[in-house]
Amino acid sequence: MTVRILPPNLVNQIAAGEVVERPASVVKELVENALDAGARHVDVTMNDGGRSLIVVADDGRGMDERELAFAIERHATSKLPDDDLTEIGFFGFRGEALPSIGAVARLTITSRPRDATSAWYIRVEGGRREGPVPTPHPPGTRVEVRDLFFATPARLKFLKAARTELNHAVDTIERLAMANPTVAFTLTADGRARVSLEAEGGDLFDARLARLGAIMGKDFVPNAVKVTADRGGLRLTGYAGVPTYNRGNALAQYMFVNGRPVRDRLLQGAVRGAYQDFLASNRHPYLALFLDVPPREVDVNVHPAKAEVRFRDTGQVRGLIVGALKHALADAGHLASTTVSNAALGAITPGTLPPRPSQSLFSAARAAQAPLPSGGLAEGQSAYDDAPTAVAFDPETMDDSAEDYPLGVARAQVHETYIVAQTSDGLVIVDQHAAHERLVYEHMKAMLADTGVARQMLLLPEVVDLDEASAQRLAARAGELAELGLVLEAFGEGAVMVREVPALLGDTDVQGLVKDLADELADLGEALALQDKMADVCGTMACHGSIRAGRRLGGPEMNALLREMEHTPHAGQCNHGRPTYVTLKLTDIEKLFGRR
């Protein structure tokens, strides 16, 4: 067997295996070339999912005859003016895309510089070149790719259905469009418009939010908080959804490094870390983050597809993302997702309530006009002498004005679980257990960071019976639990004695708390320190220390809860990402009754 140099066309086909994985890869490379050329409009056309035709036309700076001839040669590029791989300022720089595409498809390029009087045309088919020759064409570049993989038919077997391949191309264009909101993009597939994005104006943040809303959906705009942070030469900007605006997968998380769309585990892990206090492990936030890094601090030359990057200081990058997201979410205060209110309104079905057989129309009218007792309905009393489901308060006995507070003033408690508050322009329904759970949790975190969790000694120590393994786990972590305000010790085989509990929890169910913590420790494993899983442990404690559903509250208690929610970060969701309150605007309520 003799060592030899491979033919250039075979080299290009091998390179195409890395650069041109599917039609979306071709779209990505060609659209990036258009953006590097300063295009303000990029138009893409695809047929049969990109198998038979891909066209990318732009109004960029274009190429003359000499540049066009070089463009289809391997490792020919205009994007490394100083031959410095540590100072990459463009999407492309390897000089592999066009020759790789030309090696596996029928490629034609027509281009005209903005100040030229004529355009030039070149054709590459299976690696064979024709041209360039003069041709009429407006300023800019048009790249046409036909019969993708005709020269390597084995690759066609790995392509998915046309619709699947088209969806990958749509995702590619949308990601590039997010990073370039001042550029207009269109995608026409088999004669139908699939993407139509106008260029956005205004400052960068406004333009970016408008573009994100056009791609991620109109609900993203009112439910997103602005993210901006600088640290050590790094800059992070973008928008992140409030925790109650979430979904079951991470497909709505978009991340960019120096304008380049990337899928990076470090960045994804940082997002999970930032949201761990607010979302269950199987829920994921909506967000788009744009990280600007000095070129020398990041390596984008990891893979020909350039979807992976490596950072010089991964700790600094992670810390910046986690800190910026937590700060932005804290600034959002008690904000909850508007989609929660929309879902609530959608679930309301207008209907009719038949009169009770035991009441005449006259007696029912008198009952409706009679004032409610100022102290609320008595135990066992209701308008129909049924079991009580609501406690109402006479508004005249309450000095607070609904206009003075974002979450309004409490007017009733429904099913001893939900607080109904009147606001200046509607009403708010609060889940009292979920809301108080978040308040207790945030207080515990603040105390841990400041002076430590205050403890309350039990008048009589309480013995909790467990299985032997659970008791051993708790006893082994007694020192760490004491830092969280829970003082316990082993008490024979299969039991622990609790002497002190966190003061914040009040009159809590010690038995239930300790058993739940034992289960929590079993899930965490022996290797992890509790400090590394503080959110889980504090969340378990907060759940036991919060106001339970089924507890009747007085007006002052309910209003105190509302006021504390307004001044506590993240009060719009419980520790698992569920909403703590729903807002219903008066205009929407009036629509339900045909008043609007």
Side-chain angles (χ1 to χ4, degrees), residues 169-179 194-195 197 215 254:
V170 169
D171 180 68
T172 295
I173 293 172
E174 289 181 340
R175 288 176 185 270
L176 290 168
M178 289 179 183
R194 280 296 305 268
V195 175
L197 298 168
I215 295 173
Y254 300 94

Side-chain angles (χ1 to χ4, degrees), residues 555-569:
E557 289 179 293
M558 293 192 287
N559 280 312
L561 182 66
L562 296 175
R563 301 294 78 78
E564 193 168 1
M565 289 176 65
E566 292 166 351
H567 294 94
T568 301

Side-chain angles (χ1 to χ4, degrees), residues 233-368:
L234 310 182
R235 178 169 174 78
L236 182 71
T237 57
Y239 289 90
V242 295
T244 46
Y245 183 59
N246 58 64
R247 60 185 293 167
N249 56 47
L251 294 180
Q253 294 179 14
Y254 300 94
M255 302 179 197
F256 304 82
V257 176
N258 293 346
R260 188 187 307 276
V262 298
R263 291 180 173 88
D264 186 88
R265 290 184 179 179
L266 168 68
L267 304 183
Q268 293 169 346
V271 170
R272 285 196 300 272
Y275 277 85
Q276 69 176 354
D277 277 3
F278 319 119
L279 285 178
S281 59
N282 62 341
R283 304 301 298 177
H284 304 269
Y286 289 73
L287 55 80
L289 299 178
F290 302 82
L291 179 64
D292 293 317
V293 185
R296 294 181 181 273
E297 298 298 316
V298 59
D299 183 5
V300 299
N301 193 25
V302 178
H303 186 273
K306 301 184 287 292
E308 302 173 18
V309 294
R310 290 178 183 165
F311 298 100
R312 184 184 298 272
D313 189 343
T314 56
Q316 184 184 28
V317 172
R318 189 183 190 281
L320 174 65
I321 294 173
V322 173
L325 284 174
K326 285 192 173 184
H327 183 75
L329 294 175
D331 284 349
H334 64 269
L335 182 65
S337 169
T338 61
T339 57
V340 176
S341 301
N342 294 337
L345 286 168
I348 297 175
T349 304
T352 58
L353 180 66
R356 295 291 294 254
S358 60
Q359 283 191 313
S360 67
L361 183 62
F362 176 72
S363 62
R366 288 187 60 187

Side-chain angles (χ1 to χ4, degrees), residues 22-28 31 44-47 49-50 54 161-179 185-190 192-197 211 214-216 251 254 256 261 263:
R22 62 194 329 153
S25 306
V26 175
V27 172
K28 172 183 176 294
V31 172
V44 182
T45 302
M46 299 179 69
N47 288 343
I54 299 173
R163 177 176 296 181
T164 301
E165 297 297 342
L166 174 61
N167 289 338
H168 281 288
V170 169
D171 180 68
T172 295
I173 293 172
E174 289 181 340
R175 288 176 185 270
L176 290 168
M178 289 179 183
F185 293 83
T186 66
L187 168 61
T188 304
D190 300 306
R192 291 181 54 232
R194 280 296 305 268
V195 175
S196 181
L197 298 168
R211 176 59 57 85
I215 295 173
M216 299 175 70
L251 294 180
Y254 300 94
F256 304 82
R263 291 180 173 88

Side-chain angles (χ1 to χ4, degrees), residues 17-244:
E18 293 183 317
V19 178
V20 186
E21 178 186 3
R22 62 194 329 153
S25 306
V26 175
V27 172
K28 172 183 176 294
E29 297 293 343
L30 298 183
V31 172
E32 287 182 346
N33 281 347
L35 295 171
D36 282 341
R40 313 313 303 167
H41 293 81
V42 179
D43 300 311
V44 182
T45 302
M46 299 179 69
N47 288 343
D48 191 24
R51 285 181 175 85
S52 59
L53 177 68
I54 299 173
V55 178
V56 176
D58 68 68
D59 61 350
R61 66 178 59 93
M63 295 177 284
D64 59 23
E65 177 185 12
R66 175 180 172 277
E67 291 174 317
L68 191 57
F70 276 137
I72 60 172
E73 299 291 339
R74 276 180 59 78
H75 307 310
T77 182
S78 62
K79 301 168 187 179
L80 282 177
D82 299 322
D83 298 332
D84 187 356
L85 280 175
T86 65
E87 289 289 341
I88 296 172
F90 299 91
F91 283 114
F93 55 88
R94 301 170 68 104
E96 293 180 315
L98 290 177
S100 296
I101 295 169
V104 297
R106 296 182 171 91
L107 170 69
T108 62
I109 308 175
T110 306
S111 190
R112 173 185 165 186
R114 293 170 181 169
D115 57 352
T117 58
S118 175
W120 295 88
Y121 168 91
I122 196 168
R123 174 186 177 90
V124 183
E125 185 171 320
R128 296 188 299 273
R129 185 177 85 174
E130 299 176 10
V133 297
T135 189
H137 191 269
T141 301
R142 174 188 169 92
V143 182
E144 185 175 301
V145 179
R146 292 185 178 273
D147 302 327
L148 184 63
F149 297 133
F150 90 93
T152 53
R155 295 297 300 273
L156 286 172
K157 298 178 182 179
F158 294 93
L159 294 184
K160 305 297 183 182
R163 177 176 296 181
T164 301
E165 297 297 342
L166 174 61
N167 289 338
H168 281 288
V170 169
D171 180 68
T172 295
I173 293 172
E174 289 181 340
R175 288 176 185 270
L176 290 168
M178 289 179 183
N180 298 272
T182 60
V183 180
F185 293 83
T186 66
L187 168 61
T188 304
D190 300 306
R192 291 181 54 232
R194 280 296 305 268
V195 175
S196 181
L197 298 168
E198 297 293 331
E200 302 293 345
D203 66 26
L204 179 59
F205 270 102
D206 291 342
R208 184 173 284 166
L209 183 59
R211 176 59 57 85
L212 293 176
I215 295 173
M216 299 175 70
K218 60 182 177 61
D219 286 333
F220 180 76
V221 175
N223 293 305
V225 295
K226 185 177 179 180
V227 179
T228 177
D230 296 271
R231 181 186 299 176
L234 310 182
R235 178 169 174 78
L236 182 71
T237 57
Y239 289 90
V242 295
T244 46

